């Protein structure tokens, strides 16, 4: 290996492996708190057997990718990627594979044309999803508070607590949603008040009604969250491709009655109900945190807390209780 190629190889390794350094990690008493495996620069490149001159060249323009602090000694401690990080990188590469994405778009097109025939899709994606949901990633909730938001009604009043449960298809028209067909009375909740408001905000309005819900226990929620830390390397690649390529969370055109973005998530919800899931937990595409859609309302172990309240959404991005 030539001198120049060794230096290039060393820089490639450092660029690929380093995620942080001793300067940007917190300290507890006299010890650095590392989130991932850590080592010094020398050990990271020990197999290259670099000379002093080669080290000098490498350290001339070496900086921490996280905080930008210069790394000036081969003894400097750095945090490196874990085995999990490398597994996730491989997954993310695979889910961007053109062949997989094309098949998913073909399935979306097929199910948009034939909403009730997902299992017969030519690409077999519908059948694949059916099997994946049956053995899907399950999430449980115990003793948590979640929120439902509704826009102020046409009479410019806040909704009462009685009106903040799941809609009644016998009394109200229920339009199609991300996971529900027209007329299905599902309960949509958010784990953060602000996100609950943003999910229902359509125009310049800055006030809504919010109801708190206590979830005592739900054992079987289909987990469709897109949180990086929530990736299970053992889950089928199609499962993650559906989530990470937007087939669950894409927002439709609010001005159009045609919402093809809803067909794949509604198919997944139908399969989830078939396999007796309580609902689906998924990442908000608009705000922070997660959302829930709960099937088969009213649901045992899910209760409203107190009275509904009007909330005002301030420009500072803070939801504060409106006095009425």
């Amino acid at each position: 290996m030539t001198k120049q190629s060794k230096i290039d190889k060393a820089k490639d390794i450092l660029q690929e492996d380093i995620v942080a350094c001793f300067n940007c990690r917190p300290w507890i008493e006299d010890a650095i708190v590392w989130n991932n495996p850590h080592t010094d620069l020398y050990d990271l490149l020990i197999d290259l057997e670099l000379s002093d001159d080669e080290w000098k060249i490498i350290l001339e323009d070496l900086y921490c990718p996280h905080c930008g602090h210069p790394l000036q000694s081969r003894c400097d401690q750095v945090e490196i990627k874990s085995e999990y990080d490398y597994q996730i990188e491989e997954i993310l590469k695979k889910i961007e594979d053109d062949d997989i994405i094309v098949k998913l778009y073909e399935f979306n097109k097929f199910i948009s044309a034939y909403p009730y025939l997902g299992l017969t899709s030519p690409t077999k994606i519908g059948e694949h999803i059916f099997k994946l949901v049956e053995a899907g990633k399950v999430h449980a909730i115990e003793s948590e508070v979640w929120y439902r938001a509704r826009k102020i009604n046409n009479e410019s009043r806040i909704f009462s607590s009685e009106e903040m449960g799941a809609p009644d298809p016998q009394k109200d028209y229920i339009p199609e949603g991300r996971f529900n067909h027209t007329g299905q009375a599902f309960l949509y909740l958010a784990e953060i008040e602000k996100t609950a408001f943003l999910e229902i905000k359509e125009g310049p309005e800055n006030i809504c009604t919010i109801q708190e819900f206590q979830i005592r226990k739900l054992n079987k929620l289909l987990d469709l969250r897109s949180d990086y830390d929530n990736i299970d390397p053992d889950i089928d690649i199609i499962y993650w491709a559906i989530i990470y390529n937007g087939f669950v969370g894409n927002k439709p055109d609010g001005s159009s009655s045609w919402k093809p973005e809803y067909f794949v998530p509604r198919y997944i919800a139908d399969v989830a109900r078939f396999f007796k899931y309580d609902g689906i937990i998924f990442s908000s595409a608009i705000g922070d945190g997660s959302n829930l859609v709960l099937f088969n309302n009213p649901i045992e172990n899910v209760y409203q807390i107190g009275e509904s309240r009007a909330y005002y959404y301030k420009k500072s991005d803070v939801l504060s209780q409106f006095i009425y």
Side-chain angles (χ1 to χ4, degrees), residues 143-168:
S143 189
E144 292 183 5
V145 175
W146 288 66
Y147 304 90
R148 184 190 182 200
R150 294 188 70 181
K151 291 178 289 187
I152 299 299
N153 77 353
N154 294 333
E155 301 169 10
S156 296
R157 67 172 177 83
I158 67 168
F159 289 98
S160 67
S161 290
E162 289 73 22
E163 296 171 296
M164 291 298 290
D168 184 347

Side-chain angles (χ1 to χ4, degrees), residues 17-292:
D17 288 358
I18 298 176
V19 296
C21 75
F22 64 92
N23 182 67
C24 55
R25 283 295 175 247
W27 288 67
I28 294 182
E29 296 180 351
D30 295 327
I32 301 176
V33 179
W34 300 99
N35 295 330
N36 280 323
H38 64 280
T39 185
D40 57 43
L41 295 175
Y42 179 81
D43 282 343
L44 193 57
L45 301 178
I46 193 170
D47 291 340
L48 295 182
E49 299 180 348
L50 298 166
S51 68
D52 290 342
D53 289 339
E54 288 167 335
W55 269 109
K56 184 177 180 180
I57 295 172
I58 292 167
L59 294 171
E60 281 178 353
D61 57 353
L62 183 61
Y63 300 89
C64 172
H66 184 261
C67 70
H69 185 77
L71 300 173
Q72 300 173 316
S73 168
R74 67 188 77 181
C75 296
D76 282 348
Q77 292 271 300
V78 292
E79 184 172 292
I80 59 177
K81 292 176 182 176
S82 65
E83 184 62 31
Y84 174 81
D85 291 325
Y86 286 110
Q87 288 178 322
I88 299 309
E89 284 186 355
E90 286 302 310
I91 289 174
L92 295 179
K93 289 177 183 177
K94 290 178 182 178
I95 64 178
E96 294 175 355
D97 180 84
D98 289 341
D99 184 56
I100 290 177
I101 294 176
V102 166
K103 286 183 178 179
L104 289 175
Y105 274 109
E106 288 178 353
F107 175 66
N108 189 84
K109 183 178 179 180
F110 178 85
I111 201 171
S112 297
Y114 308 102
Y116 300 106
L117 299 177
L119 276 173
T120 67
S121 63
T123 59
K124 304 295 183 181
I125 293 294
E127 184 178 344
H128 199 110
I129 291 174
F130 192 86
K131 295 176 181 178
L132 286 176
V133 172
E134 180 181 14
K137 183 174 173 60
V138 177
H139 180 73
I141 288 178
E142 187 169 355
S143 189
E144 292 183 5
V145 175
W146 288 66
Y147 304 90
R148 184 190 182 200
R150 294 188 70 181
K151 291 178 289 187
I152 299 299
N153 77 353
N154 294 333
E155 301 169 10
S156 296
R157 67 172 177 83
I158 67 168
F159 289 98
S160 67
S161 290
E162 289 73 22
E163 296 171 296
M164 291 298 290
D168 184 347
Q170 301 301 320
K171 298 178 181 179
D172 305 306
Y173 170 72
I174 305 174
E176 64 179 345
R178 185 174 305 282
F179 293 102
N180 70 279
H181 300 283
T182 300
Q184 286 183 321
F186 293 172
L187 183 63
Y188 286 85
L189 303 175
E191 66 174 329
I192 300 172
E193 292 169 310
K194 182 176 116 176
T195 301
F197 173 79
L198 293 176
E199 289 287 353
I200 55 98
K201 179 178 171 65
E202 293 180 346
E205 72 274 1
N206 58 3
I207 189 170
C208 69
T209 306
I210 282 188
Q211 177 69 51
E212 295 183 11
F213 284 80
Q214 174 71 46
I215 299 179
R216 293 187 180 176
K217 194 168 188 180
L218 290 172
N219 291 320
K220 193 176 181 183
L221 296 167
L222 181 64
D223 194 341
L224 296 181
R225 289 175 294 178
S226 57
D227 181 6
Y228 175 88
D229 294 326
N230 191 48
I231 295 177
D232 180 353
D234 295 327
I235 292 292
D236 188 286
I237 199 66
I238 295 294
Y239 193 85
W240 288 118
I242 291 168
I243 297 172
Y244 280 83
N245 288 306
F247 290 93
V248 170
N250 279 342
K251 189 176 181 181
D253 181 357
S255 63
S256 173
S257 61
W258 174 242
K259 296 179 171 58
E261 298 84 358
Y262 283 167
F263 283 100
V264 171
R266 284 214 303 260
Y267 175 74
I268 292 173
D270 286 345
V271 178
R273 288 189 302 112
F274 180 81
F275 287 115
K276 309 301 181 185
Y277 283 86
D278 297 314
I280 296 172
I281 185 168
F282 58 102
S283 298
S284 172
I286 299 173
D288 296 325
S290 300
N291 292 334
L292 277 177

Side-chain angles (χ1 to χ4, degrees), residues 302-317:
V302 179
Y303 304 92
Q304 290 175 255
I305 304 174
E307 298 297 320
S308 58
R309 299 184 178 93
Y311 279 82
Y312 179 73
Y313 184 68
K314 294 182 178 179
K315 291 183 179 179
S316 61
D317 272 358

